[in-house]
Amino acid sequence: MTVTASTADEQRPRELGVAVLGLGNVGAEVVRIITENADDLRARIGASLVIRGIAVRDTSRDRGVPAELLTDDPASLVVRDDVDIVIEVVGGIEPPRTLIRAALDNGKSVVTANKALLADYTGELADAAAKARADLYFEAAVAGAIPVVRPLMQSLAGDTVERVAGIVNGTTNFILSAMAETGADYGATLAEAGRLGYAEADPTADVEGYDAAAKAAILASIAFHSRVTAADVYREGITKITSADLASAAKFDCTIKLLSICERIRDADGTERISARVYPALIPLSHPLATVSGAYNAVVVEAANAGRLMFYGQGAGGAPTASAVMGDVVMAARNKVYSGRGPLESTYASLPVAPIAQVPTRYYVAMKVVDRPGVLEGVAGEFAKHDVSIAAVRQEGDDEETRLVVITHRAPDGALATTVAALEKMEAVTAVTSVLRMEGTDE
Ligand code: NAP
């Protein structure tokens, strides 16, 4: 039978059922947007979005939504026949993993903001989505409101991404920016961030780099068409950064940022591998990421043909994150209306992940040394002995104990580690106080 355009139009759904899991910071804003923007959303989608239910833990609290929509039984909600799209904004691994699997297995499309889950289970969930011919979208999982997942998966689908480097954690960026501005120490600045609502009561996931590593895993997977999990990402947090480090970074015309870096690296024989790493690094003040301050996020993408692209904006917060969620909801809804499907993860390249020891970077090494002639030569000699070439040296302070700061050219992690071990044994070196990487320079 030939279906004419008008018959096909008549057969399209007039409304789509939505299940919202979670009514916290993000969920409440998602429900607000669906309610307030109903007419515009209907025009953009071609069908109305109708909320069938909202899952929370505590249904007794008044939350400003119709009480009959609230349920503490998300497992039943996600498989209801009248639900087409499930929005997961609960967070954590379980129950979201089981709920999303159940939704996908029942042909529902899923939109999630859950980076912790995706960092480890994208493969499992994408396989379930592919089997059910359903959509799985997760723009909000990386850098909140900033569109970076869709540009990587769709806009740059015809290009070769070489590098994705960004500031994707607002809490640590707030702390490092404030330390640079005020000269205050890490502990005092973390406490202030907590008071202002930029750091959670338990800030571990942010300050130890776990959140940034989960996002790096997602970015590396989609940028390089491979499967990278959080465990593959080398990770260092910001807890050891001192105000002295920021002050000496400034003297080298640099600042310190917690960077998530995903890079395509090529061995001498042309073999390609991925490097995915998160650490605080010195970057020149002239680098585009150096000006990203406070709780803002930014991601710089370098592609073979497009060149350098920069995405900047609010990386967290209820409304900004809900904006990204709703972009995905509209895409998933349109696909339901027109019986289509968006792109899923593509892992055809299956590039291996290179261990950090094989990724050469520049280093900043700060040490306390005794103030006497010949010390600088001795320190420089140790770097030379281990084939680590020095780019700049600065001596700070004129007390009995002097601070010596060395910036190196690119060196392998292993060579730097042996140099630091040798420095620590030197009688003239009282302590090696900081070893940080330096990024964003060509040397
Ligand atoms: P949140 O404020 O803690 O809200 C979580 C919601 O999930 C609450 O409504 C909670 O119910 C509900 N919930 C928890 N466990 C549940 C369960 N077992 N069954 C049913 N409902 C349950 O979290 P959020 O800040 O909105 O974050 C949600 C997700 O978005 C997370 O994956 C997070 O990583 C991601 N995200 C958040 C932001 C942000 O700025 N907040 C940014 C990017 C991504 P009750 O209200 O009854 O406790």
Side-chain angles (χ1 to χ4, degrees):
M1 186 185 78
T2 310
V3 179
T4 62
S6 61
T7 317
D9 279 345
E10 279 159 22
Q11 287 170 351
R12 297 197 205 290
R14 295 276 173 265
E15 51 179 50
L16 292 169
V18 175
V20 183
L21 312 183
L23 192 61
N25 295 314
V26 183
E29 294 297 326
V30 165
V31 169
R32 178 186 62 77
I33 296 171
I34 292 177
T35 312
E36 285 180 9
N37 294 3
D39 293 343
D40 281 341
L41 291 169
R42 180 172 49 244
R44 290 171 201 171
I45 293 165
S48 305
L49 292 180
V50 181
I51 297 177
R52 307 289 189 206
I54 302 170
V56 290
R57 274 177 301 208
D58 174 9
T59 53
S60 64
R61 259 199 302 136
D62 177 16
R63 298 165 182 263
V65 298
E68 65 276 14
L69 287 180
L70 293 177
T71 173
D72 57 6
D73 181 11
S76 301
L77 176 62
V78 298
V79 297
R80 266 170 61 165
D81 286 343
D82 61 354
V83 165
D84 301 287
I85 299 169
V86 171
I87 302 171
E88 186 274 309
V89 278
V90 168
I93 306 298
E94 288 294 355
R97 178 184 172 197
T98 303
L99 295 170
I100 292 176
R101 273 300 303 265
L104 292 169
D105 290 346
N106 282 273
K108 322 295 184 193
S109 287
V110 171
V111 174
T112 173
N114 194 332
K115 58 232 156 192
L117 177 67
L118 287 162
D120 286 336
Y121 295 100
T122 304
E124 173 188 314
L125 301 178
D127 288 348
K131 205 162 149 209
R133 300 198 52 75
D135 282 327
L136 171 67
Y137 287 138
F138 47 88
E139 181 64 70
V142 183
I146 307 172
V148 61
V149 171
R150 189 163 295 115
L152 283 171
M153 285 182 83
Q154 296 187 29
S155 318
L156 292 167
D159 209 329
T160 304
V161 175
E162 298 290 345
R163 197 168 199 266
V164 182
I167 294 168
V168 293
N169 182 271
T171 304
T172 47
N173 203 47
F174 176 87
I175 293 171
L176 292 175
S177 305
M179 285 174 73
E181 242 168 64
T182 63
D185 253 327
Y186 169 76
T189 315
L190 171 65
E192 179 67 1
R195 268 193 298 278
L196 295 171
Y198 290 112
E200 293 187 16
D202 177 2
T204 312
D206 294 317
V207 298
E208 294 292 359
Y210 290 102
D211 174 82
K215 292 165 180 169
I218 297 169
L219 289 172
S221 300
I222 58 179
F224 305 125
H225 305 276
S226 299
R227 210 162 263 171
V228 179
T229 64
D232 296 322
V233 180
Y234 176 80
R235 179 192 52 77
E236 283 174 26
I238 65 159
T239 55
K240 295 190 186 117
I241 302 293
T242 62
S243 49
D245 290 328
L246 279 149
S248 42
K251 289 182 187 140
F252 286 103
D253 290 327
C254 286
T255 189
I256 299 174
K257 297 287 187 190
L258 183 73
L259 300 182
S260 290
I261 301 170
C262 311
E263 216 169 15
R264 185 190 295 271
I265 54 176
R266 292 181 181 85
D267 294 344
D269 65 0
T271 310
E272 289 193 340
R273 288 185 293 170
I274 296 171
S275 164
R277 49 198 206 265
V278 169
Y279 44 60
L282 274 78
I283 52 172
L285 291 170
S286 57
H287 191 279
L289 291 177
T291 54
V292 177
S293 60
Y296 274 79
N297 282 193
V299 178
V300 175
V301 177
E302 290 170 35
N305 300 300
R308 187 187 265 186
L309 307 165
M310 183 160 171
F311 303 85
Y312 170 83
Q314 294 187 65
T321 308
S323 163
V325 168
M326 287 309 300
D328 283 349
V329 170
V330 169
M331 296 303 294
R334 276 193 195 141
N335 290 342
K336 286 278 180 195
V337 170
Y338 296 100
S339 306
R341 212 168 126 232
L344 282 173
E345 65 151 14
S346 129
T347 55
Y348 74 90
S350 292
L351 297 180
V353 178
I356 188 75
Q358 293 173 7
V359 182
T361 51
R362 300 186 69 190
Y363 289 90
Y364 153 103
V365 183
M367 63 203 99
K368 283 186 179 161
V369 296
V370 291
D371 189 15
R372 67 164 183 249
V375 170
L376 184 54
E377 286 76 5
V379 166
E382 283 304 334
F383 280 85
K385 214 187 282 176
H386 298 95
D387 268 345
V388 180
S389 151
I390 291 179
V393 181
R394 179 179 282 276
Q395 195 163 324
E396 296 167 359
D398 49 8
D399 325 346
E400 280 198 356
E401 209 168 47
T402 304
R403 203 173 130 89
L404 198 62
V405 179
V406 174
I407 302 255
T408 75
H409 289 293
R410 261 177 220 287
D413 193 82
L416 199 279
T418 351
T419 311
V420 170
L423 291 172
E424 278 169 340
K425 286 200 192 110
M426 283 179 71
E427 186 265 322
V429 176
T430 329
V432 175
T433 51
S434 300
V435 178
L436 295 170
R437 290 177 176 78
M438 185 172 192
E439 294 283 346
T441 61
D442 293 330
E443 289 163 75

